[in-house]
Amino acid sequence: MKKRFIAGAQCPSCSELDVITLVESEQGSHMHCVECGYEENMTDSEPVAKKKKPTEQMIQWVNIDSD
Ligand SMILES: [Zn+2]
């Protein structure tokens, strides 16, 4: 399982910044907020935060667990 931190992403639940991780598993990917525990399933590899903010181009992917 991979877990990637989404820098610059805002949690849709608690509105905190820089708390969203993307967790990738065999079943697919989902977002997880480390602050409030919010989770959201994803149907593709694009981060939801990017869909909600189409003009936001500053999102960076930071690997925190390369295995
Ligand atoms: Zn949250």
Side-chain angles (χ1 to χ4, degrees), residues 11-48:
C11 176
S13 181
C14 68
S15 299
E16 291 292 325
L17 287 170
D18 298 335
V19 294
I20 299 295
T21 57
L22 175 68
V23 181
E24 296 180 327
S25 66
E26 292 179 359
Q27 290 76 30
S29 302
H30 67 272
M31 294 189 340
H32 174 75
C33 174
V34 298
E35 183 69 22
C36 69
Y38 172 83
E39 291 192 344
E40 182 172 319
N41 290 326
M42 301 176 66
T43 55
D44 56 44
S45 60
E46 290 296 310
V48 172

